[in-house]
Amino acid sequence: MQTFDLEGFLPYRLNRAAEFVALRFAAQYKARYQLTRPEWRTLAALGSSGRSMTATEIGAHSSMHKTKVSRAVFSLEQRRWLQRREDGRDRRFEHLALTAQGQQAYSELTELASGYQAELCSMIGAKNLEALSTGLGAVERVMKKWKGL
Amino acid sequence: MQTFDLEGFLPYRLNRAAEFVALRFAAQYKARYQLTRPEWRTLAALGSSGRSMTATEIGAHSSMHKTKVSRAVFSLEQRRWLQRREDGRDRRFEHLALTAQGQQAYSELTELASGYQAELCSMIGAKNLEALSTGLGAVERVMKKWKGL
DNA sequence: TAATATTAGTTGCGATCGTAACTATTGTTT
DNA sequence: AAACAATAGTTACGATCGCAACTAATATTA
C-alpha cells in the first residue's frame, strides 16, 4: 500500500548527506579555531565575496536565520576578524568587512576547506561530483525563484 | 591570490540546499501535526522500513545524534504513535515500532511528502533530478565507507 | 508633515541541542 | 567468576537556537 520511498525523498537525502559532510569538516575548524558553524559560514561568505556585505545579505546567501547571523557577526567582531561600518545614506545598514586578521584566518581556513574538498572529490569521483554539482545547481535555481516570490 | 571558491564548496552548497528544502517541508508538518524535525525523521525511518528498529539504527540511518533520537522516541511514545518492546535476549536493546495510530499518521505524512517531492521534481526537472540522485548516491556510499571505519 | 508601514538588526526567553557523565546490560579477559 | 571493556539508551547541564517582540531608521501614504 505504501508507495512512498524515503530513500528517494530529496529533503531526507539532502539533509543526511549535508549533515554528515558538514560535521566532518566542522570537527576540523572547531578543534583549531574554536569556530562555530554559523561563524565559519559568515566568515566564508564575507571572505569569498571579497567585499563588504550586510548581515541580511549574508543570511540570504547562506540560508541562515538572521539571529544566527547577528550572533556570529558579534563574535567575529569580538575576535577582531570583522569590522562594521555604518552606511552614511541609510543608517539601518551595517556594512561588514573582514579585517586583515580576518582575511588571514579566512585564507588559513580555505586551506583546510580545499583539503577537505579534495578528499571528498577523490572519494566521490569526478563524474559523480559533476552530477551532484549539476543537481545542486538546479536546486539553487529553484531557491532563487522561490525566494524571489 | 584566493583560489578557493565557496560556491563550489560541497559542504556549503549541500547545507544551503538541504536547509532550504527541508524548511519548506517542515513548515507543512509543523503546522498540521506539531511535529518537530527529529520526530518526523524518526517516524519516517520507522514507517518506511516497515519493521521495528532500535534507536541506534534510526540514528545511523538518518544521521541523527543519539540524544535527538532518544527524545524524539520519547515524544512519539507519548503520542501513542510508537511502542517500545524490550529485546528478550539482550535487554539493552529496545525494538521500536509504530502503533496503528503511528502508521496512520505516517501514511498521512507521506501524502504531504509525496506532494512536496512532486513539486520539487517539477521545478528541478527530471534530468537534473537524476543527476542529483546520482551524486547523492555517491555521497551516500562515501558515508557508508567512513562510518564503517 | 503627521501617521503608518516597512526594513535592518538586536535581544528576551522558552525550546532545543550536543557533550559528557550516567545506568543497565552484555561481552571479554584473566 | 571477578574485573574490566563495550554497548544501548537516558539525562543533567551549559550552549545554542529561533520565534516574537523590540529599537532605530527610512519609505509611504493621507
Side-chain angles (χ1 to χ4, degrees), chain A residues 56 66-67 70-71 84 92 94:
Chain A
T56 299
K66 65 178 179 172
T67 63
S70 175
R71 284 154 180 155
R84 303 178 198 242
R92 288 174 300 186
E94 290 182 332

Side-chain angles (χ1 to χ4, degrees), chain B residues 19 30 54-56 66-67 70-71 84 92-94:
Chain B
E19 192 64 18
K30 265 185 196 166
T54 67
T56 300
K66 65 178 179 173
T67 62
S70 176
R71 284 155 180 153
R84 304 176 197 242
R92 287 173 302 186
F93 290 91
E94 290 182 331

Side-chain angles (χ1 to χ4, degrees), chain B residues 23-33 109 112-113 116 119:
Chain B
L23 272 183
R24 288 184 71 91
F25 183 53
Q28 295 187 36
Y29 58 71
K30 265 185 196 166
R32 302 200 198 182
Y33 296 91
L109 276 156
L112 274 191
Y116 185 61
E119 188 188 1

Side-chain angles (χ1 to χ4, degrees), chain B residues 3-20:
Chain B
T3 58
F4 178 71
D5 172 31
L6 185 62
E7 288 306 315
F9 189 49
L10 268 185
Y12 196 80
R13 290 181 79 187
L14 273 172
N15 248 297
R16 189 172 54 175
E19 192 64 18
F20 184 80

